[in-house]
Amino acid sequence: MNVAFFSTKPYDRRFFTAANASHGHAITFLEPRLTSETASLAQGHEVVCAFVNDQLPAPVLEVLRAGGTRLIALRSAGFNHVDLMAARRLGLTVVHVPRYSPHAVAEHAVALMLALNRHIHRAHNRVREGNFSIEGLLGFDLHGKTVGLIGLGKIGLCLAQILHGFGCRVLAVDPLPVPDAAKEHVTLCSLDDVLAAADVVSLHCPLTPETRHLIDAKTIARMKRGVMLINTSRGALVDTAAVIDGLLSGQIGYLGLDVYEDEAELFYEDRSNRLIADSVFSRLITLPNVLITGHQAFFTNEALTTIAGTTIQSINDFAAGRVPEFSLTKAG
Ligand code: NAI
């Protein structure tokens, strides 16, 4: 099939070319992000492959459909950036990659926790400059601390396993029953109980209209003073302005982000020679107890191999007239 591949980076080209080697789809690797301005580049391609900061609201889907696209293959787990109702109305099939490596994201969340707690980012800078003072780098043992997970799906459960190994008490909130919770030593409780008890709060739920700004001034006020907040899910789960207020007042002691509300204008590009116009983001990165990575929690060899393989399999299934296993638009 002809595939228009948006937001291409060199690593995408490498992994997808390898996964496609024995399948022969004609992939057009395009560098621009998919937006209303670039959607016409997909003209004549039956498949559009999109990433997390590509934009797929109804008007973009309409342009794609008119240009001959029939399958939208998201190379991500999250699908908050696609208007699924509009896709169904237009007869477009949408697939995603729901489980590539929950370990990749869970391990990145732990990396943020440990780096923040032990001030690794600051220690590294000091040592590079010949400053071996450890004043100001005091941390705490994770052992014995309470970690609250918001969302106990694939990533949440994987993180719970790791944290159990550290000797943490793990609490979680999830609207769905999680049969494996007890096996992974997780206590399910209400959001209020999680917020009140947790020394570390880590977000692992999808971005939906209900979870948008789940962390705002009100929920922050219900957390323990000095809490560590980790977000590797989606930026808009957090009201960034409220979090900055929380950091300045000391209510939030540490902030680790892999995602940011307005990341689409920043992430995945080298902007080191330009000024960052986003004053909220600029403020955040000046704070010593804030650690931000640019949406890279998924970025492991294992995860990229699975993302490429699963996406090519979905395209193969679609081409053969089968309903792809990870279709988001199938009936029922
Ligand atoms: P999943 O679908 O396995 O689990 C999500 C869980 O959140 C489900 O159990 C669901 O019931 C729960 N949930 C839904 N609404 C909730 C609420 N209001 N409060 C608490 N829990 C709620 O998804 P998975 O694979 O664990 O991924 C979680 C999120 O991680 C994705 O939606 C995606 O946004 C993000 N992600 C980020 C990546 C990165 O590179 N930073 C990579 C992959 C995923």
Side-chain angles (χ1 to χ4, degrees), residues 51-52 76-80 97-102 105 108 149-157 173-178 191 203-208 210-211 214 231-234 237 258-259 268 295-299:
F51 197 46
V52 290
S76 61
F79 49 87
N80 49 286
V97 188
R99 54 180 116 90
Y100 40 88
S101 173
V105 184
H108 194 80
L149 307 180
I150 301 188
L152 193 61
K154 291 175 283 297
I155 295 169
L157 274 171
V173 56
D174 197 298
L176 297 180
V178 185
L191 178 63
L203 308 181
H204 301 287
C205 58
L207 175 62
T208 62
E210 293 73 43
T211 60
L214 181 77
N231 186 9
T232 56
S233 277
R234 285 294 178 269
L237 292 174
D258 185 52
V259 286
Y268 300 125
H295 207 145
Q296 66 167 81
F298 72 98
F299 199 52

